[in-house]
Amino acid sequence: MHNLGPPGGFAGRQLPSGRQDVSEAPAMLRRLARRQQGDASCKVVLEPLGEPMTLFTKPTCSVTFYTNLRTRSNFSGSPSAPPIFGVSISSPPCAKKKAASEWRKLKDSLVPLLRLTAFHVFKACRQILPRCLANSPARPALDAVATTMPWKVLGDEAFQAGNYFMAGNFYTRWFEDHGETNEMVQAAVLSNRAACWAKVGHFEASKDDAQRALELRPNWGRAWSRIGLASAKMGQGKEAIDAYKKAVSFDPSSANVDALASVVRQLNGPNTDLAHAEKENGNTAMRGHEFGAAVACYTVALVLVPPEASASVPEGVAPEDEHALLRSVLFSNRASAFCRLKSWQSARADAQLAVEKKGDFVKARNRLGTALLACGQVEQAYVHFAHALKLETNNSSALKGRQACISILPVWRTLPARRRFRERFGVDLWRPKGTSKVYAISDVHFDHKCNEDWAHRIDDFEFQEDVLIVAGNLCDTRNALMRALTTLKAKFRRVFYVPGNHELWLSPSEASKYPDSLAKLLGIMEMCDELGVDCFPSAVSEDVFVVPLLSWYSADFDDKDPFPDPNANFDHQCRWPLDPETQVWKYMLKLNEAHLQHPYHGTVITFSHFLPSRNLPFSAFGRAAKAMGCEELNDQVKSLRLRNRVHVYGHSSRHFSQYEDGILYVNHYHGTEGGQFERAPLFLVHDGKDIAKRQVEIYSGPTRVSS
C-alpha cells in the first residue's frame, strides 16, 4: 500500500527452485493470494526523507523518516493530499523470535518518545504538519486546522518543563503561522523566546529578541529585565544596570529589584558619595511621582552604602553601624515608594529593615505602621504608630495612623482576630454534655512565689479535660504572665483569660517594647495566640459558651461621688492613648460589642476583671469605688438573653456567688497570699451539665460590704 516493499512487489517475485524461502510458507502464500484477489489502490505514497538515523539503544535500532512531499503534487489518486510523514523503527537484533520480548520493551519505550519529539528532531520535518496515516484519502479541510495550532501554549508548557530548545522552536513556529498579529502578543512571544535563549546560554539571541519586544512595548519591564540579564552575562555592565533600572521603573517587582541589586553589587564597590547621589535622584523621582524610578535609585544607593563593620565586639553587644541612619533612610524612602505603588508586602519588608537599622527614626515607624495597616495587621501597626508618637508627640502622620488603628480594632476584622475566631470558636462544639467542667479563679498574682508554687501543685492529670477561666490580675509583667499561662495551660484542656489592671502596668523594663498600655494589651493577646490560650469567645461543649469581656473602671461607679478625681492617681503605671478617666472604659466596652453578636445558645459564661454592678460586694473605703467597676458592663452581660447565664469577675478581693436578675455572679478571689493556705480550691462554675449550684452555696455571702 505504501510502496515500501521490494521492487515489482511480492506478486511478481520468482523464487529459486529447491530453496525454502519465507514466501513459501502457507500463511504467506494465503496472504499474497488474498492481496492479489483484492482491488488494491494506493492511497498515499511515502518516500524516505534523509538517511536512517541509528539510535544507540539496547538493542540497537534505527529510525527512518518518510514523507509524501515529492509525490503529492503529481499523485493522481489524491491531488489535494496534505503533507504527511511517517516514522519507522527497525531493529535487526530483534528479528529473531527469542528477541520478541526485547522488541516489545524497545517499542513501548521508544514510540511514546518519538511521538513527542520526532516532529522536531529534523529541521525538514518541522515544516510538515503531523498527521495520522490513514487508509482513506485525506480531506482538504484539514489544511485549515494547521493555522490554529497553539504553538504559544506548547511553548509555555515546554518552558515550564525545562525543555528550552523545544520551547524556542514552538515560539518560532508561532511567528511562522501567525505573522503580523497583535503587537502585545508578539512582544510576549518574543520575550518568552528571549528567556529560552538565555536559559541555554544564547545571550546575544536573547538580547535581540528582547530588543524586538521593546520596539513593540517600550515600557514593558519584563523585556527590559531580559536585556539586563543578557547584557550582564555578556559583560556589558553599564548597559545591564541601565536596563535593570528601567525594568524596576516600569515593574518594581521583588525579582527585578533583587536582580538590579545583584548586578550593581557585582560591578561596583561601596561608595558613600554615589549612594548619596542616587538617594537624591530617588527623592527627585518621588517628587515627580515616578515611584518605580525612585525604587530603582534607592535600590542602587542601598547597594553602594558600605557594609556594617565586622570589628570584634563583646558577646551580646550589637556592632555599631556608622551608616545606620543613611541605611534606615534609604529603606524607609523605598518603603514609601512601595506604599505609593500599593506594593504593601515589599513596603512592609523595607520599613521593618529601616526600623531595625534605626529604631528611633520616626518616619520608619510611620511607614512600617502604614504598610502593616494595609496588610490587615492592625495590632502591630498600632504599636509602631504609638512608638512614633512616643518619639515625637505631635507627629501628624503618627497621630492619624494611631487613630485609624483605634477606630478599626473594635470591628475585629484583622488577620489575628479572624484567625482566633476561625480556629477556636467552634473547635469544641462536637463535645457532648457532661464532658467538660468549667472552673474559675481571679487575682492569682503568679509573680508571688507562694502563688507560683500553688499553681505548680495543681494536679497534672485531674483537669486535662476541663476548662479554666482566669478573670485578670494574673501577673504584673509580660515574662511572668507567659510563665503563668504556660503553667495553667499544661494543667487544663483550655484556659480563658482577660487581663486586669496589673497586667496593663508598664514596668521600666517593658517601656521599650510597649509604648502604652493598649499596645501591651494587644501584645498580651498575641502571646495568648502563641500559647493556645483563649481571649476570644468560644464553645467548650455543644451547649456551653465562654465569652471573655474586656473592661476598665469608671468613676461614676461610685454612686456617692460619680465624678473623676484628678488626684486619685489610680494605676499610674498605665499609659493610655485615650483619657483614662472618661474614655478607656468606653473603648473597652466597644471592643466587646462584636463578641456579643455571635449565635450563642444553651449556657453562656461571661467573665471580666472589673465589677459589672454596684450590688456586688467590694471595699468602698475612701475613693476605691472609683476604680472598682463599670455599671455599663452589666448591660452587655444582660444583653445575652438566654436561660442559663453566669458572670465571673475579680478585682474586689471578696469571695462571692449569688443570683441577681437570673444571672449567677461569681468572684473566686485568690489573692497575693492565696497560695500559702493549706488548700486554695478552684471554683466549679459548670459541672458539664448544669451550673454547679452546690459550689455556689459554699461561697455565698452578703450582698455588699461597705465602709
Side-chain angles (χ1 to χ4, degrees):
M1 180 184 296
H2 306 303
N3 199 25
L4 304 181
F10 291 100
R13 185 178 179 188
Q14 300 295 328
L15 298 177
S17 59
R19 179 183 169 187
Q20 295 294 326
D21 202 286
V22 71
S23 62
E24 295 180 349
M28 179 63 72
L29 294 176
R30 288 194 297 271
R31 184 181 303 172
L32 290 176
R34 287 195 301 270
R35 188 172 294 174
Q36 290 174 357
Q37 294 174 2
D39 185 12
S41 61
C42 186
K43 304 293 184 181
V44 179
V45 176
L46 300 179
E47 295 182 346
L49 179 64
E51 296 296 327
M53 180 175 64
T54 302
L55 301 181
F56 296 97
T57 57
K58 189 177 180 181
T60 306
C61 69
S62 61
V63 176
T64 307
F65 287 83
Y66 295 88
T67 181
N68 66 339
L69 288 178
R70 297 178 184 176
T71 58
R72 69 178 186 128
S73 59
N74 56 8
F75 184 56
S76 58
S78 180
S80 59
I84 299 174
F85 78 96
V87 184
S88 72
I89 308 171
S90 61
S91 177
C94 294
K96 301 178 181 179
K97 290 184 178 180
K98 64 180 180 179
S101 61
E102 295 183 7
W103 169 247
R104 284 195 299 271
K105 292 180 181 178
L106 177 66
K107 186 170 59 174
D108 292 344
S109 60
L110 193 57
V111 170
L113 180 64
L114 287 174
R115 286 176 177 170
L116 294 174
T117 61
F119 302 134
H120 312 288
V121 172
F122 294 106
K123 185 177 181 180
C125 298
R126 298 181 195 136
Q127 308 300 324
I128 308 172
L129 181 68
R131 297 268 182 225
C132 294
L133 186 63
N135 288 331
S136 58
R139 292 173 293 179
L142 290 175
D143 287 335
V145 181
T147 61
T148 61
M149 194 69 178
W151 296 116
K152 183 178 181 300
V153 176
L154 294 175
D156 296 342
E157 293 176 352
F159 186 88
Q160 293 174 3
N163 302 322
Y164 304 119
F165 275 116
M166 187 178 295
N169 289 329
F170 282 138
Y171 293 133
T172 302
R173 289 296 305 271
W174 184 90
F175 279 106
E176 294 173 356
D177 285 2
H178 290 77
E180 297 296 330
T181 185
N182 186 285
E183 292 183 353
M184 300 285 284
V185 181
Q186 288 188 58
V189 175
L190 284 168
S191 175
N192 292 355
R193 192 169 68 175
C196 295
W197 303 150
K199 287 289 187 180
V200 297
H202 295 338
F203 298 110
E204 292 184 3
S206 175
K207 187 175 181 179
D208 290 341
D209 275 352
Q211 288 174 336
R212 288 176 60 190
L214 281 178
E215 293 174 2
L216 300 172
R217 294 181 62 182
N219 297 335
W220 193 21
R222 183 177 298 177
W224 280 110
S225 67
R226 307 277 193 233
I227 292 178
L229 175 62
S231 300
K233 293 296 184 180
M234 291 188 295
Q236 302 169 355
K238 186 179 184 304
E239 188 173 351
I241 293 175
D242 293 340
Y244 272 124
K245 289 182 74 172
K246 287 283 189 181
V248 174
S249 299
F250 296 121
D251 180 17
S253 63
S254 58
N256 288 342
V257 170
D258 293 342
L260 173 59
S262 177
V263 171
V264 174
R265 190 176 294 109
Q266 292 174 9
L267 301 176
N268 294 278
N271 191 319
T272 306
D273 294 335
L274 285 179
H276 280 285
E278 288 291 345
K279 170 179 168 292
E280 293 304 320
N281 293 337
N283 294 343
T284 302
M286 285 291 290
R287 289 191 289 269
H289 299 280
E290 299 176 355
F291 305 118
V295 170
C297 294
Y298 293 137
T299 301
V300 174
L302 279 167
V303 177
L304 296 175
V305 176
E308 298 181 21
S310 58
S312 60
V313 295
E315 187 176 354
V317 179
E320 184 177 354
D321 182 10
E322 61 176 317
H323 301 288
L325 179 59
L326 175 60
R327 217 182 305 274
S328 179
V329 168
L330 290 171
F331 276 122
S332 175
N333 289 0
R334 193 169 72 171
S336 177
F338 278 127
C339 285
R340 301 298 293 270
L341 292 166
K342 294 182 173 54
S343 298
W344 303 115
Q345 296 296 340
S346 299
R348 174 191 171 187
D350 275 356
Q352 185 68 54
L353 290 171
V355 171
E356 291 176 4
K357 301 302 178 185
K358 196 72 173 172
D360 57 354
F361 186 31
V362 175
K363 286 186 177 180
R365 293 281 186 181
N366 285 338
R367 283 158 184 168
L368 180 54
T370 302
L372 289 168
L373 192 60
C375 292
Q377 297 175 325
V378 184
E379 293 91 339
Q380 296 182 28
Y382 174 85
V383 174
H384 290 286
F385 286 128
H387 270 298
L389 285 171
K390 189 176 179 181
L391 295 168
E392 187 177 324
T393 308
N394 296 321
N395 186 277
S396 59
S397 298
L399 284 170
K400 291 179 181 178
R402 188 181 70 174
Q403 187 57 44
C405 294
I406 290 174
S407 301
I408 295 172
L409 277 173
V411 184
W412 294 121
R413 296 296 184 189
T414 63
L415 293 177
R418 289 203 297 265
R419 185 164 53 249
R420 287 178 205 132
F421 182 77
R422 181 175 64 251
E423 296 177 359
R424 308 289 293 178
F425 183 81
V427 69
D428 284 337
L429 276 173
W430 61 272
R431 285 183 170 269
K433 296 180 181 180
T435 56
S436 296
K437 297 178 181 179
V438 180
Y439 294 87
I441 197 167
S442 70
D443 301 272
V444 175
H445 297 285
F446 186 87
D447 36 14
H448 290 253
K449 188 178 186 308
C450 62
N451 294 327
E452 182 173 355
D453 294 339
W454 167 84
H456 286 291
R457 288 198 303 270
I458 298 175
D459 193 275
D460 292 331
F461 304 102
E462 182 178 354
F463 306 103
Q464 285 298 315
E465 292 299 316
D466 299 329
V467 177
L468 176 65
I469 291 175
V470 182
N473 279 6
L474 186 56
C475 293
D476 293 356
T477 63
R478 183 185 186 278
N479 291 338
L481 180 62
M482 178 174 285
R483 295 201 320 272
L485 290 175
T486 302
T487 301
L488 296 175
K489 185 65 174 64
K491 309 288 186 179
F492 292 83
R493 178 171 59 84
R494 296 185 73 169
V495 174
F496 286 81
Y497 165 74
V498 291
N501 54 317
H502 279 244
E503 286 91 341
L504 301 180
W505 291 353
L506 296 176
S507 65
S509 61
E510 296 176 323
S512 60
K513 185 175 181 63
Y514 300 119
D516 58 33
S517 294
L518 181 55
K520 188 175 182 181
L521 171 63
L522 299 175
I524 289 173
M525 289 185 172
E526 182 180 3
M527 182 182 65
C528 289
D529 293 340
E530 296 173 1
L531 299 177
V533 174
D534 292 280
C535 55
F536 267 34
S538 178
V540 296
S541 66
E542 64 181 13
D543 64 339
V544 179
F545 294 83
V546 178
V547 182
L549 297 178
L550 296 171
S551 60
W552 199 250
Y553 47 81
S554 172
D556 61 8
F557 196 78
D558 184 1
D559 53 358
K560 296 179 180 179
D561 180 19
F563 300 101
D565 185 352
N567 300 319
N569 202 21
F570 296 118
D571 296 304
H572 63 277
Q573 299 95 327
C574 294
R575 288 193 294 271
W576 295 100
L578 306 168
D579 183 2
E581 299 292 342
T582 60
Q583 298 296 323
V584 174
W585 65 270
K586 293 181 181 178
Y587 189 69
M588 291 295 186
L589 296 180
K590 194 73 174 175
L591 292 174
N592 295 332
E593 289 181 356
H595 299 332
L596 302 174
Q597 308 303 320
H598 297 314
Y600 303 114
H601 60 273
T603 300
V604 175
I605 304 173
T606 57
F607 71 102
S608 63
H609 177 66
F610 292 99
L611 279 67
S613 173
R614 297 188 185 97
N615 296 328
L616 302 175
F618 63 90
S619 175
F621 178 77
R623 295 169 294 184
K626 296 183 182 298
M628 191 56 58
C630 177
E631 191 73 23
E632 286 76 3
L633 178 62
N634 209 27
D635 296 335
Q636 293 189 335
V637 174
K638 293 180 178 180
S639 66
L640 300 173
R641 301 183 180 278
L642 299 172
R643 182 173 59 85
N644 295 326
R645 290 175 292 173
V646 181
H647 184 80
V648 179
Y649 66 96
H651 193 65
S652 66
S653 304
R654 295 288 188 272
H655 285 154
F656 179 78
S657 60
Q658 184 169 301
Y659 275 99
E660 181 180 312
D661 296 333
I663 302 174
L664 175 63
Y665 292 90
V666 174
N667 183 358
H668 188 60
Y669 169 77
H670 189 78
T672 57
E673 298 180 353
Q676 294 181 356
F677 298 123
E678 181 179 352
R679 182 172 181 268
L682 301 168
F683 190 94
L684 180 61
V685 177
H686 198 279
D687 63 4
K689 297 181 179 179
D690 202 353
I691 297 173
K693 297 179 180 179
R694 288 188 301 171
Q695 293 281 358
V696 171
E697 296 173 359
I698 294 175
Y699 294 106
S700 61
T703 58
R704 180 170 182 176
V705 177
S706 59
S707 60

